[in-house]
């Protein structure tokens, strides 16, 4: 039987993906959090899961170290998607990528006046494209987390980050002023693997597709 490897990240994506995997007849034999294992066997001898950083999922699939992966649109947009087939929006881990500023900062006026804005974000490529399309001049500062802190300590005027409940913005006295895109997790497939291992991959794609909440 053809072996397949599926890359995904711990936390919300793993939890939200488990029911979809189950619908495809795949159940992990270990919990990634408690076991700390990075390669998880499943009930199916030919299917294994690998646990990687969310932002690394497209890389593992691009190079064929994983045949399939589950990654947020935020991560895929930033990666560029080379070598990846993206057949399915799984409609999980939904949130929005937003521009946010400190309460009281008049973002619209600053933009209208052509001010040069300092923007802190993990999503440098996506932010660059967004502001270029809008004709807004920005200096981008790459961060790896806790973006909400940047405007509070004078590192940036604004941030580009994911907003789900809005609680993190609120707790840090920030407000969202612009939506960049709606985010959800997608199934991604290595294009070569799809051709070479179609017998094993296609049933997984079909089962995911049938199980996705429209
Ligand atoms: C994400 C995001 C925000 C927060 C938004 O961070 O970067 O900080 O969640 O969620 P909320 O609107 O429900 O408050 P996450 O906790 O995933 O950690 P990260 O900074 O490592 O991305």
């Amino acid at each position: 039987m053809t072996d397949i490897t599926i890359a995904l990240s711990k936390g919300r994506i793993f939890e939200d993906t488990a029911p979809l995997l189950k619908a495809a007849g795949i159940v992990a034999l270990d919990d990634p959090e408690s076991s700390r294992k990075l390669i998880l066997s499943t009930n199916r001898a030919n299917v294994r899961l690998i646990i990687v950083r969310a932002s690394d999922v497209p890389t593992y699939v691009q190079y064929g170290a994983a045949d399939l992966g589950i990654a947020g649109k935020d991560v895929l947009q930033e990666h560029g998607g080379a070598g990846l087939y993206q057949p399915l929006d799984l409609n999980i881990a939904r949130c929005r990528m937003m521009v946010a500023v400190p309460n009281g900062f008049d973002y619209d006026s600053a933009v209208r006046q052509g001010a040069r804005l300092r923007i802190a974000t993990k999503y440098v490529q996506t932010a660059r494209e967004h502001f270029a399309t809008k004709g807004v001049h920005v200096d981008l500062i790459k961060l790896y987390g806790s973006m909400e802190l940047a405007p509070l300590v004078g590192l940036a005027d604004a941030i580009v980050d994911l907003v789900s409940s809005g609680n993190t913005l609120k707790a840090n006295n920030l407000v969202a002023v612009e939506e960049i895109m709606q985010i959800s997790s997608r199934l991604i497939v290595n294009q070569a693997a799809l051709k070479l291992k179609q017998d094993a991959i296609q049933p997984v794609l079909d089962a995911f597709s049938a199980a996705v909440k429209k």
Side-chain angles (χ1 to χ4, degrees):
M1 216 186 308
T2 314
D3 289 336
I4 56 175
T5 299
I6 304 174
L8 70 177
S9 51
K10 279 197 287 199
R12 187 158 168 210
I13 288 186
F14 187 86
E15 284 153 25
D16 288 359
T17 304
L20 298 174
L21 286 168
K22 198 166 174 211
I26 299 165
V27 179
L29 298 184
D30 283 299
D31 173 67
E33 304 281 355
S34 57
S35 75
R36 314 292 293 177
K37 284 186 180 172
L38 299 176
I39 299 180
L40 305 180
S41 301
T42 71
N43 59 322
R44 302 240 314 253
N46 68 322
V47 180
R48 62 180 185 169
L49 309 180
I50 60 171
I51 304 300
V52 306
R53 274 286 289 266
S55 51
D56 292 334
V57 169
T59 306
Y60 278 84
V61 178
Q62 175 188 9
Y63 287 97
D67 303 298
L68 297 151
I70 289 129
K73 188 179 174 191
D74 52 327
V75 163
L76 289 167
Q77 195 79 22
E78 202 61 16
H79 171 270
L84 302 175
Y85 172 53
Q86 300 182 31
L88 195 59
D89 181 350
L90 300 175
N91 226 348
I92 57 171
R94 295 185 63 86
C95 59
R96 299 189 294 165
M97 189 182 290
M98 310 280 291
V99 181
V101 298
N103 241 321
F105 180 89
D106 193 343
Y107 175 75
D108 288 335
S109 294
V111 167
R112 262 199 313 274
Q113 288 161 15
R116 195 170 184 93
L117 296 175
R118 277 223 286 191
I119 312 279
T121 186
K122 202 193 277 190
Y123 306 102
V124 172
Q125 299 300 340
T126 312
R128 180 175 292 120
E129 275 171 42
H130 172 74
F131 292 111
T133 304
K134 284 194 57 162
V136 177
H137 301 291
V138 293
D139 290 318
L140 294 161
I141 299 177
K142 167 90 182 182
L143 292 179
Y144 294 87
S146 301
M147 268 73 75
E148 292 85 356
L149 181 63
L152 308 181
V153 295
L155 180 62
D157 302 306
I159 61 170
V160 166
D161 196 12
L162 303 184
V163 179
S164 177
S165 65
N167 289 340
T168 311
L169 290 184
K170 208 166 163 192
N172 292 291
N173 209 18
L174 302 171
V175 284
V177 287
E178 196 163 85
E179 178 178 306
I180 297 182
M181 64 179 73
Q182 302 260 344
I183 303 291
S184 56
S185 290
R186 319 273 155 134
L187 186 65
I188 56 174
V189 187
N190 176 280
Q191 284 176 344
L194 184 61
K195 291 197 193 96
L196 296 169
K197 301 184 177 183
Q198 195 168 15
D199 58 326
I201 292 176
Q202 195 61 49
V204 176
L205 295 190
D206 293 344
F208 266 58
S209 181
V212 166
K213 292 195 195 80
K214 297 290 178 225

